[in-house]
Amino acid sequence: MAETPVTSTCLSEALPLDPHRSLRVRFGMLLGEDDFVTLTAYPRGKQWLHSAWLHRHGVVWGLGVELDTRSREVRVRPGLALDPLGRELCLDTLSCVDLGAWFDAHREDPAFSVEDLGAGRVRFTAHVTVRFRACLDRQVPAMAEPCAGDARTTSYSRLVETVTLTLHPGPAPAPEPPPAPYPRLRLLYGLRAPRLDEDGNPVPADQEVLDTVAALPGSADPPAAAQAAFRRFAALDVTEMAPATASEALTRFPGAEPGEVLLAEVREIVLAGGTGAWTLESGTVDVTVRPAHVATTTLQDLLAASAVP
């Protein structure tokens, strides 16, 4: 599970994305490598852009995290997730990491808080993340370009999308770092407190939401007024949205690399023994810290049920 260095067959650069330019093919047209790159970059960019903005990141199914005291392992089961750049994170096999070996490798990491319990016992907390990885596969014969000084006669013909699982020292970060998306809508439905100015008063944008909430019960048609409030504050929220920035360059996506998704926090891990000979005594796994997706049909059912008096 610990991060594996990028090898010669795994890509460290971003995959080609071009969601707003597609290939226009006509009879007799000569097609080259750039044309086929465009052919694949267009649908990939479309799908990732849609998933990133309209679904956001989170676990779709599976990716359970568990501790096995006998083997001293943290294990992650197969599953599927979306990352902040709209990429699908698919794990097909059970993956694990030896906690004793991992602790020996990371115990001196900066800011890694380890409690010495005495008698050769230590206690600490860690968290598990997953992120996108693409690797090259299936070498096939290929013609070398003339005068290119390139003696290669094979090339990889497949790109396999996989993931990197990482166990990080320390507690999990906050589920959603501020500012959370759709701040007015979250305040409208009581999901956050108002933002305050230097004098401790709600900022004007949030005060408007609070005034609207206070006026809803006394309106002539509360459901219609609530719908109007939703539409107004949704419009204001999306107008203020912008893609993430990476290296001072604006991207098309709400998140930036590495696009990690939190899977679990492993708390109060207790190891006993010593370097190279640890045993795992105890620990607890909390998967509720992860972001999660709920299917659209289920949301429809829940909304329909909540509308019944």
Side-chain angles (χ1 to χ4, degrees):
M1 182 192 301
E3 183 176 345
T4 302
V6 175
T7 68
S8 59
T9 59
C10 289
L11 303 180
S12 58
E13 71 272 11
L15 295 177
L17 299 175
D18 203 344
H20 303 125
R21 192 203 318 257
S22 60
L23 184 64
R24 181 177 182 270
V25 180
R26 287 295 181 268
F27 179 78
M29 185 182 295
L30 295 177
L31 299 179
E33 179 182 351
D34 182 68
D35 298 299
F36 286 97
V37 169
T38 299
L39 185 65
T40 59
Y42 178 69
R44 181 188 293 123
K46 284 287 188 188
Q47 180 62 51
W48 290 4
L49 199 65
H50 172 95
S51 296
W53 282 107
L54 298 182
H55 297 295
R56 299 293 175 132
H57 65 283
V59 175
V60 179
W61 68 268
L63 295 173
V65 180
E66 58 193 36
L67 280 176
D68 189 308
T69 54
R70 289 178 300 177
S71 62
R72 170 181 94 178
E73 291 175 340
V74 176
R75 296 179 173 179
V76 180
R77 295 196 170 275
L80 178 69
L82 292 175
D83 77 0
L85 288 91
R87 301 172 297 199
E88 295 175 356
L89 309 176
C90 184
L91 179 65
D92 292 325
T93 60
L94 178 69
S95 299
C96 58
V97 64
D98 184 310
L99 262 174
W102 176 88
F103 178 72
D104 287 338
H106 293 273
R107 64 189 308 172
E108 302 300 330
D109 287 2
F112 185 13
S113 178
V114 179
E115 183 182 358
D116 187 351
L117 302 179
R121 299 167 70 243
V122 294
R123 181 165 56 201
F124 59 91
T125 293
H127 61 281
V128 182
T129 63
V130 60
R131 74 168 184 259
F132 181 82
R133 187 181 183 195
C135 294
L136 301 174
D137 190 30
R138 195 172 180 268
Q139 277 188 305
V140 296
M143 292 186 297
E145 294 184 18
C147 305
D150 190 346
R152 291 180 302 171
T153 56
T154 62
S155 183
Y156 291 98
S157 64
R158 299 291 186 271
L159 186 66
V160 180
E161 295 181 4
T162 181
V163 298
T164 293
L165 293 162
T166 307
L167 183 64
H168 300 269
E176 191 167 15
Y182 307 99
R184 293 175 180 84
L185 289 182
R186 290 176 183 273
L187 181 58
L188 180 65
Y189 289 97
L191 299 179
R192 70 168 182 86
R195 295 165 291 187
L196 304 179
D197 59 22
E198 295 179 354
D199 298 324
N201 300 314
V203 299
D206 285 3
Q207 186 61 57
E208 180 185 3
V209 178
L210 296 175
D211 292 342
T212 300
V213 171
L216 283 176
S219 61
D221 188 348
Q227 184 181 52
F230 177 90
R231 290 176 173 173
R232 172 175 175 76
F233 296 130
L236 293 173
D237 278 346
V238 299
T239 301
E240 291 181 355
M241 280 186 182
T245 57
S247 301
E248 305 303 323
L250 194 67
T251 71
R252 289 190 175 101
F253 297 90
E257 295 288 5
E260 285 188 320
V261 176
L262 176 65
L263 294 183
E265 183 174 87
V266 190
R267 301 180 182 136
E268 303 295 314
I269 301 169
V270 176
L271 296 180
T275 301
W278 296 103
T279 59
L280 175 60
E281 288 191 354
S282 61
T284 58
V285 176
D286 183 7
V287 297
T288 65
V289 297
R290 65 174 54 181
H293 281 294
V294 179
T296 304
T297 52
T298 302
L299 292 176
Q300 290 173 341
D301 293 341
L302 294 173
L303 288 172
S306 66
V308 177

